[in-house]
Amino acid sequence: MFGSPAGRPGTRPGEKSDAETDAMTDHILQMRGITKTFPGVKALQDVNLAVRRGEIHAICGENGAGKSTLMKVLSGVYPHGTYEGEIHFDGEPCRFSGIRDSERHGIVIIHQELALSPYLSIAENIFLGNERTRRGLIDWNRTNAEAAALLERVGLRENPVTAAMDIGVGKQQLVEIAKALSKKVRLLILDEPTAALNDEDSAHLLNLLRGLRDEGITSVIISHKLNEIAAVADSTTIIRDGRTIETLDMRADHVTEDRIISGMVGRDLEHRYPPHEPTIGEEVLRIEDWTVHSPVQHDRAVVSGAGLTLRRGEIVGLAGLMGAGRTELAMSLFGRSYGVDVSGRVYKDGREIRIGSVREAIAHGIAYATEDRKRYGLNLIEDIKRNVSAAALKKLAKGGWINGNEEHEVADGFRASMNIKAPSVSSITGQLSGGNQQKVVLSKWIFTDPDVLILDEPTRGIDVGAKYEIYTIINELADQGKAILVISSELPELLGLCDRIYAMSAGRITGELPRAEATQERLMQFMTREKE
Amino acid sequence: MTSVEKASVETLPGGGSPPPPAAKASAGRFSVNLRQSGIYIAFALIIVLFSILTEGELLSPQNISNIMVQNSYILVLAIGMILIIIAGHIDLSVGSVVALSGAISAVLMVEMDVAWPLALLITLIAGALIGAWQGYWVAYFGIPAFIVTLAGMLVFRALTLTVLGNQGIGPFPDEVRTLSNGFVEGYLGNVGLGPLGGADLITLLVGLAAVAAIVGSQWRARQGRIGYRQPVDSPLLFALKMAAASAVVLVVIVQLARFKNLPWVLVLLAFLVVGYTLVTNRAVFGRHIYAIGGNLHAARLSGINVKSVTFWLFVNMGVLSAIAGIIFAGRLNQAGPTAGNSFELDAIAAAFIGGAAVQGGVGKVVGAITGGLIMAVINNGMSLIGAPSEQVMLFKGLVLLAAVALDVWAKRRAGAQAG
């Protein structure tokens, strides 16, 4: 169904010999057979990428498909030797030892999280690590003059001595590009450059990229915004599950957004999900008109006017791309653990409740298992039993004193029922595999005896076998009458697991589909829908 | 003693080859114990070293008593400091708080003639208020403890000078002096211990009671674990451990009984150590301290009231600093403007030598006490052999660095194994 498109033969990388390919098109960059392994996970598998000189090349893929990893390999963040495969830049084989090394070759990456130093001026930021000096001292006149020239090139009308924190995110993005230009960039990599920008800033940025292309600067842009890609990119490479799927020539193929979506999701659902017959009861939790503002930019609504309903025994999915506001929605609901200016109404069992702290959320029977279990979920230097008991220590204590034996017993019960593979509940959680750590997190929240379980990326970084176990546990929890909200970036996972799926985009709930009507294509349309 | 411990450690993991799960688990527990017990082995080695260097003088009845009494206030501070460090904070102001609380008690008792029990109570409350002040800024206002307590170090020293009018105030009532410097009355007289000479009966009885309490509570804990079908040490290993612990307590007690009676500060210290060990091991509050230091975000997302726990930790530190201040002033029989100078450094060093982790989440009350005693023995032993003070400082500094280096190294190795 998603077979080879009518792509130009030369743009399918890795099929022809080097000489042949190079002869047919002028490639500034070729990455061949890139494989990158993290402990327990293959992030990239035999990935190929060929970028023509002077084009804007988009890379598309779902969250976790491996786009950012690929760019980190390219820019030397993961130095030569930590991956397999080869990189040819401008016809030369390259073995980058670090970011500075790749920058010397003219490859500059601009990360999603901007790396400006907030208290330094625009000019100082542009020449950070690359200072304009005279006899060992900074030449301020030259610094500011050259900075002003660069700012004009990127179309930013700001005084170079303004502090970086005093300009908006969109302008900061332009400063990053000016910084790249100061390094004599030849290949500019932008990771989700417009994710945090408003429409006007986005349009300006894309125009700037076109202008740079005309000056001969090649760009690689990672983006979720398919309309932008369709508008600006000359070629698009689609990555899925750490593999290259295809490269589309955007000028020749008349590629539509739907065409890209089908490449991004094209994957059949094998028997990776345990069968489940839901018994759905009455409503347990309903939120209405939920709005959350960013703690760093108080005027930006990360979630706006969202509403959803969870019912007893039902597994509900929440789909969305990076930055859609899913985690922010969940965490703000969970005792206002995220965001400022949180507004909206929450109903539990039909009655409106107020949740001001995590403690109150737990008391109301709400549990939230975080997407980043190492940073936010577990105390990695403690053992299993102390992690399992952490959120409901009161149940094990009398008058402030913990019954350690009871704690051991409870944790051992979870070890057996959840099949946590560890010699004992006194094993340190930091030394468990990802799947077993996730089971500890789930145990911790199940022990709080919740009515509503919010599971944020419950299978991230977990191998396939453990995923199946987690799915089974989730099904069992639903059968016990708990309402479950699963946030996941893997659409097949949502389709295989959930009874009903909401889609989010740019802070809004853009769609809701029952299992029978949900397809990856339809969800992806909702997930990429911009503001109406 | 050390050779016995070493031998058993070496044989156990290697020896248990065929039977899989039980042997594996116990070997794992033992290697963990080895890492934690490194500090106790080091302590034993240092004692042996200085016993040899001082030709036994180190462990003489009077010297043991001296070490305890001279360092009691640092040990009291170390108890509070380890809790703060476990939570991932630091307190640089304790030396100044010691001086200020000594000054307050002196003004109350000496200049205002307040009855000594009331004066002590007021001083402890003042300590709590000082702690609450710092706890507020750290926990609720969100200023790093390093800054808040650095400011406190200056502010409370300044207040000390103001209260004292820049001069020493004394002398203290006899009761307070006895508390900090004196000994329990020998109500029951002495008994003969053969070649060891006479010893105070009360002290010996207290020692026996302590041994009985240690063994009894450990036995009950073991029975409880058996009741829950949890793994326990084999009876032989349990008996050996209990025998070793009893022997250490009895040796110290007998030596103290031979010199004079029990120092009051030792009684106080024993209560504090037992109490705070219980709090850290078994209380919800104690568990929350470890949770906060181990992973602040996870603790917050588990519904732990991080701010409140942090606040009360500093209140607690203030009270313990006041206790230390009273003991110190009572011992010198004078509250002086320079009292407690650099005590914070000794208390922090004790906590880190005793196994606290730099980034928090790890540490034990008994470890901090041991760390404090290691420094005390180094101080005492080196002065007994007549080493100049710069050598003492040098040695203490290197021991501190080595202890933390060991911790960092062990963690890096563990991290390399895991990932």
Side-chain angles (χ1 to χ4, degrees), chain B residues 207-223 238-247 249-250:
Chain B
L208 288 175
V211 167
I214 292 171
V215 174
S217 67
Q218 292 294 317
W219 174 257
R220 269 185 47 206
R222 187 171 187 271
Q223 290 307 105
F238 179 75
L240 279 177
K241 278 185 176 174
M242 290 303 102
S246 309
V249 172
L250 284 179

Side-chain angles (χ1 to χ4, degrees), chain A residues 378 400 402 406-408 444, chain B residues 228 230 282 284 287 295 302:
Chain A
L378 290 171
I402 302 163
E406 196 65 43
E407 180 179 39
H408 192 285
K444 161 171 144 178
Chain B
Y228 276 88
Q230 287 176 33
R282 293 206 35 216
V284 172
R287 184 66 64 80
N295 186 338
S302 298

Side-chain angles (χ1 to χ4, degrees), chain B residues 301-318:
Chain B
L301 283 176
S302 298
I304 293 172
N305 193 338
V306 173
K307 290 177 179 172
S308 150
V309 171
T310 309
F311 176 78
W312 287 106
L313 273 179
F314 277 91
V315 172
N316 175 65
M317 184 79 247

